[in-house]
Amino acid sequence: MLSVALLHAACTGSRQETGKELSGEWLDSITNVYVGRGELDSLLILADDLEGDGTISHIRASRLRAHYYSLKKQTRTSEYYLQEVLESDIRSEDDLLDYFFSASDISNHLVNRGNFEGALNAAIPAATKMEKMKRDKGLSYGTLMESIGRCQVGLGHKEEAAATYDKAFHCYQEYAREDTTASGLKHLIINAHNTALSYLSTEYFSEARFWTERMDSILNLYESHPSHSDGFARQVKALVFLQRATALQGLGQEKEAAQAYQAFQRTAYGQTPDGDIDATRYLVAAKRFSEAANNYQQLDGVLANWGYDLSFNNVQRFLFPKYRANVGAGRKDSAIAVGFQILDALDAAIVQFKNDEAAELAVIYDMQGKQMQIEKNRASLILHRLVAVILVLVLLMAFFVIYSLYRKRALHKLAVAHQQLAEKNVQLEVANAKAEESSQMKTHFIQQISHEIRTPLNILSGFTQVITTPGMELDDETRASINRQITENTDRITGLVNKMLELSDATSKAVIERTDQVSAVQIAAQAVDNSGIAMASHLVFDLQVTQEAEPLMVNTNLKAATRVLTLLLDNARKFTKPAEAYGPVAITEEKECVWLRIDCDKETQMVRFLVEDTGKAIPAEDAEHVFEEFVQLDQYYDGTGIGLTVARSLARRLGGDVVLDNSYRVAPPAETPDGGAEERGARFIMTLPAS
């Protein structure tokens, strides 16, 4: 959130790289011309015309289109064209540079969405190619290293991130040495700034302090350069004070942090609305809630100036902290108003998400259709030329005989093409049906998420009114209960947001790093604690371990493996009658059962975790359907329909799997209200490779 203006300077500053690394200069120059004229949409026409007459390559045209859609905030379409660059054949030096910059761009897109593994999958192959080609210098390589470092910090790989960030910094240093203007030092400052922000956002305060001080030392060199910008230098100095205050506060040096913050307030930037919003991170960390709440009064104007809309990410980045600041400051009315603003923003974000999703999918579908038509036309042209050559040869050798053979062959090809066209039409109809079904499931999912978020927000709003009512006296027990419920509902909202981010990673096929040597029993114990199933009042839970499985060790990723088993236990707890997923559970004498059994399959050398319950059975035809995104067999249940999807994805990336054993049933069947019988019992099996 710190310094949108400084990041903007990074995007629009000059690109005076040495050698031939000028791939980004033409992009900025062309864009600035058309933006200045108010003719941004003409960029697409320009890309088509230049590619059509051979002035630029297909790779450069695709990158220009990706840049256009990025400016239009149509991220999915931009990523489509960037991916097209990465999959195209490189035929020139310009193509190679466009490939490197495109890998960096798509990696940054994915990092901003929290998809760190996807970003690494895009950036690492490009970086490896640059290293093999001895191109591991300059801004293009430094930009890739910076993106990879952000991913490593986000994934908690602090030591690897430190080495990667150092590589990026050395690239920027080398660029600064070769550049005779102040531009090189400006890029170096921005690199240190971005690195410090990355560490601050993940609360690695020691590393953030180091990079902030490095940023300050580079600023001193920049200010001594004859061509430096006073405005840029003043803003950077203000950010140094603010980042230093935030890092010192995180390290527990509160007095020094307060002094650094006072220095920030004395700067020109510290007295602007943008500076006030940047300062809220420090104020909230220092529990100076009233000052933070005052600063947040300018949030709407600042967001409008930045051109930000209230998407899901921005609601989490700006409105949630604003709500907490007003609650911490004891401002009941303001907190309630922000709560309603959050609800309205989420409603608008959901509608906008659906509209953008539909529009971008339509654009991508149209682009794919055009590309298929282009390829079809090329193939047809090649075929016609080949036929012409064959006809000349046929006339020279034996016209009448060969002509009849050629005609027979042409008819055969036409029949094959007709058959292939019919098959493609069938495939298109199936794809359309799946797309319609997916759209309906996404709509239901969005409605569920809206309901899931409104409920805890209403609870938080109610308790806010209670604790901020003048003259309200609460005993310790009541206050502790209110604090507990506020914490639980805040965690519930955070959990929903995390689930949505988790879903974005569910389709990844990247293998998860398995460096933890743990026992199968330890995985089960942590999952039981995380799910809270042992404490559920409406059922009886039992953990059973076979004698062969008790000493078994598993070479896996403990966090991911525990997450898979936790999701399966959560599923069993919610859908075992009286199901939590229907709402609050009443305490009854009659209780259902859930078992977690651990055994070993000697034939496959896999450890098996069997989660069995006495709830409603899943029909055989839905045994695979339940693992698809947003699927809920009973629409009256609360939930998002993504837990089993995420569980299977994680398990497979760990070398195992999650399946439903549809042969498992509990006897006798349950009686239905009409006197019939309903099958009971479900068994989900999670497997992991034994060490």
Side-chain angles (χ1 to χ4, degrees), residues 122-158:
I124 289 179
T128 302
K129 181 177 291 189
M130 294 185 79
E131 291 162 3
K132 288 181 178 178
M133 299 175 64
K134 306 299 183 183
R135 301 290 292 269
D136 50 344
K137 296 178 181 179
L139 284 189
S140 55
Y141 185 73
T143 304
L144 274 175
M145 289 297 101
E146 189 174 333
S147 178
I148 292 172
R150 291 177 65 193
C151 296
Q152 291 169 336
V153 169
L155 293 170
H157 303 161
K158 187 165 65 171

Side-chain angles (χ1 to χ4, degrees), residues 249-304:
Q249 183 67 34
L251 293 170
Q253 301 177 33
E254 299 179 359
K255 182 177 179 181
E256 293 84 348
Q259 292 173 349
Y261 180 67
Q262 289 174 358
F264 167 75
Q265 288 182 303
R266 290 192 293 269
T267 65
Y269 182 71
Q271 300 172 30
T272 64
D274 288 11
D276 287 342
I277 296 303
D278 282 348
T280 53
R281 182 197 293 266
Y282 163 74
L283 293 173
V284 171
K287 298 183 179 179
R288 295 164 65 168
F289 297 114
S290 293
E291 296 176 62
N294 290 338
N295 287 7
Y296 270 124
Q297 292 177 2
Q298 306 176 75
L299 178 62
D300 293 341
V302 171
L303 291 182

Side-chain angles (χ1 to χ4, degrees), residues 618-619 622-623 626-627 648 658-662 682-685:
I618 298 174
D622 291 319
V626 295
F627 291 99
R648 170 172 278 189
V658 172
V659 298
L660 172 67
D661 181 4
N662 210 53
R683 173 192 284 160
F684 286 90
I685 304 175

Side-chain angles (χ1 to χ4, degrees), residues 207-431:
E207 290 77 4
R209 174 75 189 283
F210 169 79
W211 281 92
T212 298
E213 300 309 323
R214 173 175 275 184
M215 175 181 168
D216 192 22
S217 63
I218 302 168
L219 177 61
N220 293 331
L221 295 176
Y222 176 80
E223 289 178 316
S224 64
H225 197 284
S227 63
H228 79 277
S229 166
D230 288 335
F232 179 80
R234 285 194 297 270
Q235 185 178 346
V236 172
K237 192 63 178 179
L239 292 174
V240 166
F241 287 135
L242 185 56
Q243 290 177 189
R244 183 181 293 150
T246 308
L248 288 170
Q249 183 67 34
L251 293 170
Q253 301 177 33
E254 299 179 359
K255 182 177 179 181
E256 293 84 348
Q259 292 173 349
Y261 180 67
Q262 289 174 358
F264 167 75
Q265 288 182 303
R266 290 192 293 269
T267 65
Y269 182 71
Q271 300 172 30
T272 64
D274 288 11
D276 287 342
I277 296 303
D278 282 348
T280 53
R281 182 197 293 266
Y282 163 74
L283 293 173
V284 171
K287 298 183 179 179
R288 295 164 65 168
F289 297 114
S290 293
E291 296 176 62
N294 290 338
N295 287 7
Y296 270 124
Q297 292 177 2
Q298 306 176 75
L299 178 62
D300 293 341
V302 171
L303 291 182
N305 184 48
W306 290 350
Y308 281 16
D309 55 8
L310 289 178
S311 61
F312 287 119
N313 287 338
N314 287 337
V315 168
Q316 184 182 17
R317 288 174 60 195
F318 298 110
L319 292 188
F320 282 5
K322 180 179 179 180
Y323 176 82
R324 294 191 184 99
N326 279 281
V327 171
R331 300 181 182 181
K332 176 186 69 173
D333 294 339
S334 297
I336 293 173
V338 175
F340 282 113
Q341 187 182 6
I342 290 173
L343 291 177
D344 293 339
L346 287 175
D347 283 339
I350 289 169
V351 173
Q352 187 64 40
F353 173 79
K354 290 172 65 178
N355 293 339
D356 291 347
E357 187 83 359
E360 290 206 49
L361 285 175
V363 171
I364 292 174
Y365 179 79
D366 182 58
M367 290 186 299
Q368 290 174 335
K370 289 181 179 178
Q371 191 66 28
M372 290 176 62
Q373 186 62 42
I374 291 172
E375 294 300 325
K376 185 177 179 181
N377 291 340
R378 287 177 180 172
S380 178
L381 180 61
I382 293 172
L383 179 62
H384 281 95
R385 290 175 178 173
L386 179 61
V387 169
V389 173
I390 293 175
L391 282 175
V392 171
L393 294 175
V394 167
L395 288 172
L396 293 173
M397 295 174 62
F399 176 80
F400 292 104
V401 176
I402 304 301
Y403 175 77
S404 61
L405 293 175
Y406 168 75
R407 185 176 181 183
K408 182 178 180 180
R409 183 183 303 173
L411 290 174
H412 174 70
K413 288 184 177 180
L414 182 62
V416 171
H418 180 74
Q419 182 180 357
Q420 292 176 344
L421 182 61
E423 292 175 353
K424 290 182 178 179
N425 286 336
V426 172
Q427 294 173 357
L428 183 60
E429 291 175 0
V430 173

